[in-house]
Amino acid sequence: MNLLDKYVAEVGKYLPRKQRADIEKELKSTLEDMLEERNQGKGQASEAEVVALLKEYGEPRKVAESYIGPRYLIGPRLYPTFELIVKIVMAAVLGAGLLGYGVSAAITKSFAGTEFFSFLGQFWLGLLGGMISAFGNIVIVFAILERVLPAKEIEKETAEEWNPADLAKEPDPDEVKMSEAIATIIFTVAGLAIFNLYPNVVGIFFNTDGEWTFIPMLSKAFFSYLPWINLLGVLQITFHLYQLRQGVWTMFSRLFNIAIEIGTIALAIAMLNGPSLIDLSADKLAGTPVAGAADVLSKVMGFAPTIALIVVIIVGIFEVVQTIYRLVKTRTVTFKLQG
């Protein structure tokens, strides 16, 4: 095997099996034509000439990438956003874990003795598992986005010459903020997964005579709203995927966003005025250290969904008002330009 064949075979190592033979054949033909053109009929090319040609043509790995593109799970265009989302989610998981640990420890009074170390060990193992699971889900979402989102806009931006004067320009109000859209998708997917697949993880741990018991908190009333939560969640995910592909806000996307926000507000109001979303009745808490304070605990824990729903309503109203303002402003500017 001569040097040219070895080079082609080395490039082939980095190619997919299905495409390897065709690309190797094409590459070898291209290199032979280049050698023949350079040699101009002087006979067989020398090894030095072959070495010079191959050195100029490039490293085998980079040549393979020119045929199939770079192979990575999360590329450079999404990695900064990926890093930001990972930090936010890890901080949220850690904060929720520490809050749950503090509540459970306060209720069970497991601050000393072997119970403390047992609880602490189980807590950190559970927290580590939750963080690994969250990280894996984020990687999966970004890997999908890497292959779904069009690269033409990114390539266009990188191809244009960078001008420092662009730093002084005001941000385009119609540009979709990638980090916000991706964060919404990830948190929505995580929420839907928890409520539909693992609803029993929402609850309280108790230690009774050295044995840990888990009491789920979500009531039947909450699950009656789950179909509507799923519908709005799927619409939210679909909308933000559409936005990421479009890259800019349009009149249609603003109107669609208003519709989703109004639906979310309506559902939050219905849940706020409906039966309690938390079920910590005396029957559920029988045999636990807080069985005698079931009513108080139910009211205290039931206060959290109330606060969350009020926040959802306020944020939703703000989002609707802001979107309507953007919509009216855009139409006003359009009319002025037409006039």
Side-chain angles (χ1 to χ4, degrees):
M1 182 182 290
N2 58 36
L3 190 58
L4 192 64
D5 291 331
K6 290 182 178 180
Y7 178 83
V8 172
E10 186 66 22
V11 173
K13 292 180 181 179
Y14 304 105
L15 296 172
R17 187 179 298 275
K18 292 182 179 180
Q19 301 173 261
R20 186 176 301 164
D22 292 338
I23 294 178
E24 286 181 346
K25 184 178 180 180
E26 178 185 343
L27 177 60
K28 184 176 180 181
S29 176
T30 300
L31 292 172
E32 287 176 343
D33 290 343
M34 292 177 68
L35 273 176
E36 184 177 348
E37 183 179 349
R38 292 188 178 192
N39 202 23
Q40 295 181 348
K42 295 179 182 179
Q44 187 174 2
S46 65
E47 184 174 339
E49 291 174 327
V50 175
V51 170
L53 173 65
L54 297 182
K55 188 174 182 181
E56 179 183 329
Y57 206 78
E59 183 186 348
R61 185 191 297 271
K62 293 183 178 179
V63 173
E65 288 182 357
S66 68
Y67 283 96
I68 61 173
R71 291 183 287 179
Y72 38 61
L73 198 60
I74 300 172
R77 62 173 178 154
L78 288 180
Y79 187 81
T81 306
F82 166 77
E83 188 177 23
L84 174 63
I85 297 299
V86 167
K87 290 178 180 179
I88 294 173
V89 173
M90 292 299 108
V93 172
L94 180 61
L98 290 174
L99 179 62
Y101 167 73
V103 171
S104 297
I107 292 174
T108 59
K109 297 180 174 57
S110 300
F111 285 105
T114 57
E115 290 184 359
F116 169 76
F117 290 102
S118 174
F119 183 81
L120 192 62
Q122 292 185 21
F123 163 74
W124 283 109
L125 285 175
L127 181 62
L128 180 62
M131 296 181 77
I132 292 174
S133 176
F135 180 79
N137 290 330
I138 295 172
V139 170
I140 291 173
V141 171
F142 271 87
I144 294 173
L145 292 175
E146 182 67 45
R147 285 145 184 82
V148 170
L149 298 183
K152 57 183 179 181
E153 293 298 326
I154 304 297
E155 292 170 355
K156 179 181 177 182
E157 290 178 5
T158 54
E160 295 177 353
E161 184 177 355
W162 180 73
N163 186 359
D166 293 338
L167 296 174
K169 294 181 179 179
E170 292 294 327
D172 185 359
D174 292 330
E175 183 181 0
V176 174
K177 295 181 180 179
M178 182 181 294
S179 58
E180 292 183 5
I182 294 177
T184 302
I185 291 172
I186 290 175
F187 280 107
T188 304
V189 169
L192 293 180
I194 291 173
F195 293 142
N196 288 275
L197 302 177
Y198 312 104
N200 289 333
V201 302
V202 183
I204 302 176
F205 280 99
F206 292 100
N207 185 287
T208 307
D209 298 328
E211 294 185 3
W212 289 100
T213 305
F214 180 77
I215 306 296
M217 295 193 304
L218 296 178
S219 66
K220 291 182 179 180
F222 172 83
F223 291 103
S224 67
Y225 295 112
L226 192 56
W228 297 104
I229 295 174
N230 290 337
L231 175 61
L232 288 171
V234 171
L235 288 175
Q236 193 78 260
I237 294 169
T238 304
F239 170 72
H240 284 287
L241 286 174
Y242 170 80
Q243 284 290 85
L244 287 172
R245 289 192 63 85
Q246 292 295 111
V248 293
W249 285 89
T250 62
M251 181 181 296
F252 168 76
S253 60
R254 293 193 191 280
L255 291 173
F256 193 78
N257 183 52
I258 291 173
I260 293 177
E261 292 297 337
I262 291 176
T264 303
I265 294 170
L267 179 60
I269 293 174
M271 296 173 73
L272 193 62
N273 293 324
S276 175
L277 304 177
I278 300 297
D279 179 16
L280 289 175
S281 60
D283 292 338
K284 265 193 173 184
L285 298 176
T288 65
V290 292
D295 291 339
V296 175
L297 184 62
S298 180
K299 289 180 180 179
V300 171
M301 299 305 295
F303 192 62
T306 301
I307 295 297
L309 291 172
I310 292 174
V311 170
V312 168
I313 293 171
I314 294 174
V315 172
I317 292 173
F318 176 79
E319 184 70 23
V320 169
V321 172
Q322 186 181 48
T323 305
I324 292 175
Y325 170 76
R326 293 288 185 189
L327 192 60
V328 173
K329 186 177 180 181
T330 302
R331 288 179 64 85
T332 303
V333 172
T334 303
F335 285 141
K336 287 181 178 181
L337 291 175
Q338 290 176 348

